[in-house]
Amino acid sequence: MIVGLTGGIGSGKSTVAEIFRHIGIAVYEADTVSKSIIDTDIVLQRQLVELLGKEVINEGKINRKYMAGKIFNDKVLLEKANAMIHPAVRRNFDKWVKEQQTPYVIKEAAILFETGSYRQCDRVIVITAPQEMRIDRVMRRSNISREDVLARMQNQWPEEQKLKKADYIIKNDLKESLIKQVIAIHEDLIRQSNKAS
């Protein structure tokens, strides 16, 4: 069983993914893997140079700051870059899934819905958090301005839209225990995977 894990920027996806990892579930971090792929896939790098200019490569690696500056302010460029990157990530994910032994796997991705890769998932978990809390987290974590965070948020589906497609919702508002919420979902997923097998 493939379980998608998503939420808006700064919602706490990495923290929740880490809890699943601690209870023995295999977690695929699509965003981390995509960074590794764009730094090592020569064909993909050539495509990105054609799209964004030679400044996108710096000493054989992607200049992330330059790339973010170009694509997060231009929806057309963002869609074109995603159309190049996501098929490579999907191939990597398919290969990874075959190697896993856990009762289900988690695919953690910021833009699970936006790329359509949620269709690959049997269940989807959406993490929700108050917007101001998310903005503050991202500003501190990535050392970027409020405007930059808001620009990135504009490129993601609104939370309400994600929640409509969620099978499970985790509230990350510091009021409810994340661990308890994850354990409850985990137990339900185990029951479902036992039924399916």
Side-chain angles (χ1 to χ4, degrees):
M1 188 187 319
I2 297 170
V3 180
L5 174 65
T6 193
I9 186 170
S11 60
K13 291 179 297 297
S14 301
T15 304
V16 170
E18 199 51 44
I19 298 169
F20 275 106
R21 208 177 266 116
H22 274 295
I23 58 176
I25 298 302
V27 176
Y28 182 91
E29 292 180 34
D31 303 337
T32 306
V33 172
S34 73
K35 286 173 186 163
S36 152
I37 289 172
I38 63 175
D39 278 338
T40 55
D41 187 320
I42 307 298
V43 175
L44 182 56
Q45 285 186 355
R46 273 195 218 116
Q47 291 175 322
L48 289 169
V49 165
E50 278 177 40
L51 179 68
L52 304 170
K54 62 182 185 304
E55 302 86 351
V56 81
I57 299 282
N58 185 8
E59 294 174 15
K61 293 210 187 299
I62 292 291
N63 179 340
R64 289 199 168 65
K65 197 163 182 143
Y66 174 83
M67 183 167 149
K70 294 283 274 193
I71 66 174
F72 286 123
N73 298 312
D74 185 327
K75 271 204 171 355
V76 175
L77 279 182
L78 179 64
E79 281 173 19
K80 286 181 177 175
N82 282 340
M84 293 170 181
I85 297 164
H86 293 296
V89 175
R90 190 168 297 127
R91 285 190 299 275
N92 182 278
F93 175 72
D94 291 342
K95 182 174 172 287
W96 177 86
V97 168
K98 291 183 181 119
E99 297 161 358
Q100 303 315 307
Q101 302 295 315
T102 55
Y104 62 91
V105 297
I106 296 274
K107 180 179 188 177
E108 186 244 309
I111 51 174
L112 191 76
F113 292 119
E114 294 84 345
T115 61
S117 61
Y118 72 95
R119 292 186 193 98
Q120 221 182 347
C121 303
D122 302 293
R123 298 284 179 278
V124 175
I125 302 166
V126 174
I127 305 164
T128 175
Q131 183 165 315
E132 282 308 314
M133 199 179 272
R134 290 170 48 207
I135 292 168
D136 185 55
R137 277 185 197 141
V138 179
M139 283 171 66
R140 281 188 285 126
R141 175 188 76 200
S142 302
N143 198 20
I144 58 175
S145 70
R146 182 182 178 84
E147 291 67 36
D148 284 344
V149 179
L150 290 169
R152 290 180 188 192
M153 284 180 163
Q154 290 302 310
N155 291 313
Q156 295 185 344
W157 279 20
E159 199 167 77
E160 311 74 63
Q161 198 177 351
K162 290 177 182 175
L163 293 173
K164 284 180 190 160
K165 291 197 173 289
D167 296 291
Y168 303 97
I169 296 168
I170 291 178
K171 288 186 180 141
N172 187 9
D173 55 7
L174 305 178
K175 290 178 187 159
E176 295 180 53
S177 160
L178 282 180
I179 294 171
K180 280 185 183 166
Q181 292 179 79
V182 168
I183 297 294
I185 292 169
H186 170 70
E187 287 171 352
D188 192 57
L189 289 168
I190 293 291
R191 275 193 297 275
Q192 289 183 42
S193 68
N194 287 343
K195 271 188 218 162
S197 58

